[in-house]
Amino acid sequence: MKNTGKLLIIFILVLFVTMTPVIVSANTNARTLKELRNELQQLKNKKAQQTADKNATKSKINVAKNDIGNKQNEIETNTKDIADATAESEKLTVEIAEGKVKLDKLVAAYQIAKENNAYLDYVFDSKSYDELVYRSALSEQLMDYLNEEITSWNDKIDKNEKLKVDLAEKSKQLESDINSLSSSIDQWGAYLNKLEEGAVSINEDIKSTEELIKYYTSIGCSETEDLEKCASVKGDTGFIRPLKKGVTTSYYGYRTLSSGSMGNFHSGVDIGGNSEGTPVYSVANGMVGKIIRQYSCGGNMVYVYHTIKGVQYTTTYMHLLTINVSVGQAVTSQTQIGTVGGGKGTKSYEQCSTGAHLHVSLATGWYGRTYTTSSQWKAHLVDPRKYISIPAKGVWFYSRY
Ligand SMILES: [Zn+2]
């Protein structure tokens, strides 16, 4: 039961794949293969430009991220410097307070020394007058010194306060720089996403354009031919007969000899009933892929490539008296590719035909493109009667359909 289910799924998948149309829908305005190739080149250029743009944007984002990191470090340093300045100012404030206490004491002592008569008396008859002078001078010096110190500490505090304001302002500026860098990064990121989406759709366009080129090339459209017209003519839905009338004289496969043993393998169907010079037509739209002239066994041979419902085939027409087409030529099922030979007209070089008839072979793939050796061609051979409506031996047909 399980296996049956799996087989059913595989069958449906195969069916789906086989039925998928070959023509891919692409947003193309190209009318010819040449224009299609130009479009492909433009798409590739656009892709390259977008890749460059993407890389440039990525590097801009990296630079901005670095920049943000540096600015954050700077802010950290500023914060630390502000804390240092605050601590120093606090220490200085304490020192100023202490200095002022000392100064007050000094001023008081000095005043007392200057205003106290007893002290002055002592000073005027004193032998220690020098000492007094010395002391009062020292006091004045000390007061001056303390005053200077306090002034310089106050200056230092002012400077610190100014530094703190400057640093805070600088940090504020850095924060705003970081914000604008961050919003730039967001914008660039959004742009990158858009580019990524664009890249996906460009890749899809490139792929479908390449598929179109492959398809139109495969059905044999020329570079400047109108693609719509070419596709309607060259892609085909089936095979018709190569002759307007005839009769099957030999089947595809191993021939049974009169002795009853198996004979040589016959690579196609022989159709008689036509004299040399009778027109031979291509069995479907396609392109001449290969021509061999005056081969000892097969004579003049034309190989035509076809694409039938998306599958590639090669048909071969042997023992031709004349060849009316050339390699690379696009043909329709109405194109005369040559004339029946195999009789007197080809006898001088042909050893595998004793009378006028057409030999038709059918192989899958394109002999000369899909594969290149005759043994590969032989491995791809199929019975033409399974694809072309050729009656049984001895039964005549009178139309190409
Ligand atoms: Zn034959």
Side-chain angles (χ1 to χ4, degrees):
M1 200 56 201
K2 242 183 175 178
N3 278 338
T4 318
K6 270 184 194 165
L7 278 174
L8 192 70
I9 288 167
I10 289 167
F11 174 73
I12 290 167
L13 275 176
V14 167
L15 202 68
F16 178 74
V17 169
T18 334
M19 285 174 76
T20 308
V22 177
I23 298 181
V24 218
S25 60
N27 302 322
T28 174
N29 298 314
R31 303 284 308 161
T32 63
L33 258 179
K34 200 178 164 187
E35 282 174 22
L36 212 51
R37 287 187 210 281
N38 279 342
E39 274 189 6
L40 181 64
Q41 192 50 52
Q42 276 167 18
L43 283 169
K44 283 180 174 173
N45 291 347
K46 202 173 160 193
K47 189 185 168 179
Q49 199 196 331
Q50 284 203 350
T51 306
D53 204 359
K54 214 164 75 183
N55 291 338
T57 307
K58 274 182 186 167
S59 93
K60 270 205 286 196
I61 288 175
N62 284 337
V63 168
K65 279 182 178 168
N66 267 340
D67 216 0
I68 286 178
N70 290 338
K71 285 181 196 296
Q72 276 166 344
N73 286 343
E74 219 177 311
I75 288 173
E76 238 173 76
T77 310
N78 286 350
T79 308
K80 214 174 139 261
D81 286 351
I82 288 171
D84 287 352
T86 306
E88 200 192 15
S89 291
E90 275 166 10
K91 212 178 117 201
L92 288 170
T93 308
V94 172
E95 278 179 37
I96 286 168
E98 285 169 3
K100 275 183 175 165
V101 170
K102 275 186 202 165
L103 195 62
D104 285 349
K105 278 183 186 167
L106 256 172
V107 168
Y110 184 69
Q111 288 299 328
I112 290 163
K114 268 196 157 173
E115 285 163 19
N116 192 317
N117 289 340
Y119 191 67
L120 281 175
D121 288 346
Y122 165 75
V123 166
F124 286 123
D125 64 3
S126 171
K127 284 175 267 178
S128 322
Y129 182 74
D130 288 344
E131 193 193 347
L132 180 70
V133 170
Y134 168 73
R135 282 191 181 186
S136 60
L138 194 66
S139 296
E140 275 175 38
Q141 272 178 17
L142 259 174
M143 283 190 288
D144 285 347
Y145 172 73
L146 273 173
N147 271 322
E148 271 169 29
E149 279 285 87
I150 288 167
T151 307
S152 105
W153 291 335
N154 274 320
D155 284 352
K156 193 81 215 282
I157 288 172
D158 286 348
K159 266 185 198 159
N160 274 342
E161 291 312 307
K162 198 175 175 296
L163 180 69
K164 278 160 73 179
V165 170
D166 286 351
L167 287 173
E169 244 169 53
K170 217 172 154 190
S171 288
K172 215 174 133 190
Q173 182 58 51
L174 287 166
E175 292 281 3
S176 119
D177 288 352
I178 287 173
N179 282 341
S180 71
L181 281 172
S182 293
S183 80
S184 291
I185 287 175
D186 288 347
Q187 279 172 19
W188 292 329
Y191 182 58
L192 262 188
N193 285 341
K194 229 175 98 186
L195 283 179
E196 299 282 0
E197 280 165 28
V200 169
S201 89
I202 280 192
N203 283 340
E204 279 168 3
D205 283 352
I206 286 176
K207 209 181 147 209
S208 63
T209 307
E210 281 172 343
E211 282 298 321
L212 276 181
I213 289 174
K214 218 166 88 187
Y215 173 71
Y216 288 124
T217 310
S218 78
I219 62 170
C221 303
S222 77
E223 289 298 308
T224 50
E225 200 173 359
D226 184 278
L227 290 175
E228 229 170 89
K229 208 172 134 199
C230 172
S232 69
V233 170
K234 306 233 169 88
D236 218 334
T237 52
F239 298 103
I240 57 173
R241 294 171 189 141
L243 294 159
K244 285 181 176 167
K245 69 171 173 64
V247 58
T248 304
T249 55
S250 185
Y251 287 142
Y252 166 86
Y254 285 98
R255 283 163 164 162
T256 313
L257 299 178
S258 53
S259 65
S261 59
M262 294 274 269
N264 287 338
F265 185 79
H266 188 221
S267 66
V269 176
D270 288 342
I271 301 170
N274 292 290
S275 56
E276 284 192 316
T278 303
V280 173
Y281 301 95
S282 173
V283 293
N285 301 338
M287 185 177 73
V288 179
K290 195 179 170 79
I291 286 174
I292 295 174
R293 288 176 197 278
Q294 303 196 356
Y295 189 61
S296 61
C297 190
N300 294 319
M301 302 189 273
V302 173
Y303 295 79
V304 181
Y305 298 156
H306 309 278
T307 305
I308 307 296
K309 292 176 186 166
V311 182
Q312 295 180 336
Y313 297 93
T314 302
T315 50
T316 312
Y317 310 81
M318 296 189 188
H319 318 297
L320 298 174
L321 181 68
T322 58
I323 292 174
N324 295 25
V325 287
S326 52
V327 171
Q329 184 182 329
V331 296
T332 72
S333 56
Q334 306 308 312
T335 305
Q336 188 189 328
I337 57 167
T339 53
V340 171
K344 280 179 187 163
T346 59
K347 209 179 174 182
S348 59
Y349 50 84
E350 167 82 75
Q351 283 143 43
C352 289
S353 179
T354 49
H357 79 282
L358 174 70
H359 170 113
V360 186
S361 287
L362 181 61
T364 55
W366 286 1
Y367 178 23
R369 289 216 186 159
T370 319
Y371 44 82
T372 51
T373 67
S374 66
S375 61
Q376 283 171 316
W377 172 69
K378 278 173 188 161
H380 283 83
L381 283 170
V382 291
D383 184 354
R385 290 186 66 233
K386 286 184 179 164
Y387 295 82
I388 309 168
S389 170
I390 298 171
K393 265 189 206 176
V395 181
W396 283 75
F397 63 85
Y398 298 97
S399 83
R400 295 196 56 212
Y401 298 93

